[in-house]
Amino acid sequence: MSHRRIPKRKAVLAGAGAVGVAAAAILLPHANASQSGSGSEPKGEPRTLSAAAAQDLVSQLGPELGEAYAGAYYDAQKQQVIVNVSGDSNEVIVQVNEAGAVARPVENSMGELKSAADTLARDATIPGTAWAVDPRTNQVLVTADRTVAGDSWNQLESAVKSLGSGMARIQKSAGEFKPFLEGGDAIFGGGSRCSLGFNVTTGDGQPGFLTAGHCGVADDQWSEDPNGAPIGTVQEATFPGEGDFALVTYDDPATEAPSTVDLGNGETLDIAAADDAAVGQEVFRMGSTTGLNSGQVTGLDATVNYPEGTVTGLIQTNVCAEPGDSGGALFTRDGSAIGLTSGGSGDCTSGGETFFQPVTTALAAVGAQIGAGDAGGDQGQGEGQDQDEAGQEDGQDEAGQEDGQDEAGQEDGQDEAGQDEAGQDQAGQDEAGQDQAGQEDGQDQAGQDQGDFDGN
């Protein structure tokens, strides 16, 4: 794919808004590193894989395993894919191991977990709540923000209890779930500020970009300056409902819209294609408010109950974000587009939970593709990416942190003041399957290493 230089005036539109982040200084020092995953390991031994290659393997194995498949996740520390297997079929375990993954017997099937999520959608659609299947614990992880209290808390707790022991657990969030929309500086519309996600080419060859759906419904025209002339018009927007994404086309059809993300401090990253997320994967987020930040994917197909309505099918992460970051790019070190910032709780001081619209789903819905449309039309599956071009395995914490360790020692889901705002004694009760320590394996809520492209 070719990438043409654009005037400085348009540079803010070449990905997420530019924010000077010195730590963004780039991934190129690792470009000569190598990655295993070519199948050279002995048959039956776990393969060493990048997160992208792990996702490809899971996409192949999942349908083959049928009802025995109970989810999967990426172990970034070991660079292996873990596949949950329900039932007592030794043949399935052998099949998983021979494929190069690690088979992990679990109690709850994927069908049971999805049924539990459906029950929550029926009985606990309460503003300030969210849930997603957590394959690392083989449970549905339910998160309640600080607004869930009193009768709402009792309703949520009752719904979780009704699922039975070991099916779901509750964690508390110190913040409040909301879309990250704000008035300020990046792309502007109707007095609101959002962030551009990824430049795309529409089905009829027009240049455009993806952003958050709640930005698209806030106004139908967007500019690059406060009160400036419009440079793009919303063509499609979904929010709330089955996603949070919008397609904006540039009003000038001659606009050059390179497939890059602005990392700040004069650095950019080429975006080659879109790909699906994997639990445990290392991801980076760029936004016009907080710049470049990193973290891990913690859940897939998440449901979030915002005050404006319920949104389904999202990616859950522990990457921090703040108002104004909405619509910004979530991507991998090797240049795969993963998500668009939707919303969440917390901030980039205390951490929090955040949710992203999958880019692959958004592209399919609006009939667009990443970049200038000359990438052979393969937008979203990342097939054959056994090697991370930057020489770094997606999901690996270069600072040497153990996967899932909170650098600041802050327990995920725990009120920072040590108080359960809903009046629950987190240190002593687990009546609803509540995760008393609040610590989710693989989640680094407060220890985000901002702009960790250089391993520092």
Side-chain angles (χ1 to χ4, degrees):
M1 178 182 296
S2 60
H3 302 278
R4 295 173 288 178
R5 184 174 296 277
I6 60 175
K8 184 176 181 181
R9 181 173 178 273
K10 297 294 184 185
V12 69
L13 301 176
V19 177
V21 181
I26 202 76
L27 57 166
L28 295 180
H30 305 293
N32 293 324
S34 63
Q35 159 115 19
S36 180
S38 60
S40 58
E41 294 86 350
K43 191 174 183 180
E45 292 294 321
R47 294 172 58 192
T48 300
L49 300 169
S50 69
Q55 182 63 39
D56 290 341
L57 180 57
V58 169
S59 297
Q60 172 190 335
L61 272 177
E64 292 178 357
L65 300 181
E67 294 182 358
Y69 176 72
Y73 63 97
Y74 183 63
D75 186 328
Q77 188 176 21
K78 295 180 179 179
Q79 301 158 44
Q80 297 172 352
V81 60
I82 314 300
V83 176
N84 292 339
V85 176
S86 63
D88 55 2
S89 173
N90 188 60
E91 291 182 0
V92 171
I93 293 176
V94 171
Q95 181 181 355
V96 170
N97 291 337
E98 287 187 346
V102 178
R104 175 181 178 235
V106 294
E107 291 293 327
N108 299 322
S109 70
M110 183 57 69
E112 290 170 329
L113 293 169
K114 289 183 176 180
S115 177
D118 290 342
T119 299
L120 291 171
R122 185 187 69 233
D123 298 339
T125 299
I126 302 165
T129 61
W131 51 81
V133 173
D134 180 2
R136 289 161 301 189
T137 61
N138 188 228
Q139 293 179 324
V140 177
L141 174 63
V142 182
T143 306
D145 73 13
R146 66 187 178 190
T147 68
V148 181
D151 290 342
S152 294
W153 174 265
N154 293 337
Q155 179 184 347
L156 179 64
E157 192 175 42
S158 176
V160 171
K161 281 183 178 180
S162 73
L163 301 176
S165 177
M167 186 61 66
R169 72 187 194 281
I170 304 175
Q171 69 175 15
K172 292 286 292 180
S173 172
E176 179 179 346
F177 290 150
K178 55 187 176 182
F180 289 128
L181 183 68
E182 189 184 65
D185 145 38
I187 58 171
F188 301 83
S192 299
R193 171 168 63 97
C194 284
S195 298
L196 185 149
F198 299 97
N199 280 322
V200 299
T201 300
T202 66
D204 59 1
Q206 297 299 307
F209 62 86
L210 295 177
T211 188
H214 64 268
C215 299
V217 300
D219 196 22
D220 60 359
Q221 290 190 311
W222 289 81
S223 65
E224 59 181 326
D225 299 303
N227 303 314
I231 54 90
T233 301
V234 176
Q235 301 300 323
E236 297 184 45
T238 297
F239 179 85
E242 296 180 357
D244 185 2
F245 58 90
L247 170 66
V248 181
T249 54
Y250 290 106
D251 293 339
D252 180 359
T255 298
E256 295 183 359
S259 186
T260 59
V261 167
D262 189 341
L263 302 177
N265 202 35
E267 302 288 356
T268 61
L269 176 69
D270 288 346
I271 300 298
D275 205 353
D276 295 322
V279 173
Q281 180 179 24
E282 179 191 46
V283 285
F284 297 83
R285 180 196 57 74
M286 189 68 189
S288 63
T289 299
T290 58
L292 185 66
N293 289 273
S294 64
Q296 288 186 345
V297 175
T298 60
L300 302 176
D301 197 22
T303 295
V304 187
N305 296 302
Y306 293 124
E308 296 84 352
T310 299
V311 180
T312 61
L314 301 181
I315 300 165
Q316 184 169 352
T317 82
N318 58 22
V319 186
C320 72
E322 296 181 9
D325 287 329
S326 280
L330 184 75
F331 52 96
T332 64
R333 181 183 301 280
D334 65 351
S336 293
I338 298 295
L340 306 166
T341 306
S342 174
S345 68
D347 54 40
C348 287
T349 300
S350 61
E353 297 81 25
T354 46
F355 301 92
F356 296 81
Q357 165 66 44
V359 170
T360 52
T361 305
L363 289 171
V366 302
Q369 57 184 319
I370 290 292
D374 56 356
D378 182 8
Q379 288 298 324
Q381 301 310 318
E383 306 224 356
Q385 295 183 18
D386 278 3
Q387 185 168 3
D388 186 335
E389 294 176 3
Q392 294 295 328
E393 295 76 24
D394 291 311
Q396 185 177 13
D397 186 338
E398 295 185 347
Q401 295 178 350
E402 291 182 5
D403 195 24
Q405 186 177 12
D406 185 344
E407 192 175 84
Q410 187 175 9
E411 293 177 350
D412 189 21
Q414 187 177 12
D415 184 356
E416 294 175 343
Q419 298 178 350
D420 183 346
E421 297 177 337
Q424 300 298 313
D425 182 0
Q426 292 187 351
Q429 296 183 358
D430 191 15
E431 297 178 10
Q434 186 173 3
D435 186 2
Q436 297 172 353
Q439 186 169 7
E440 180 184 356
D441 186 19
Q443 192 166 8
D444 181 9
Q445 183 182 31
Q448 313 293 323
D449 192 0
Q450 189 178 53
D452 189 19
F453 271 80
D454 57 358
N456 293 325

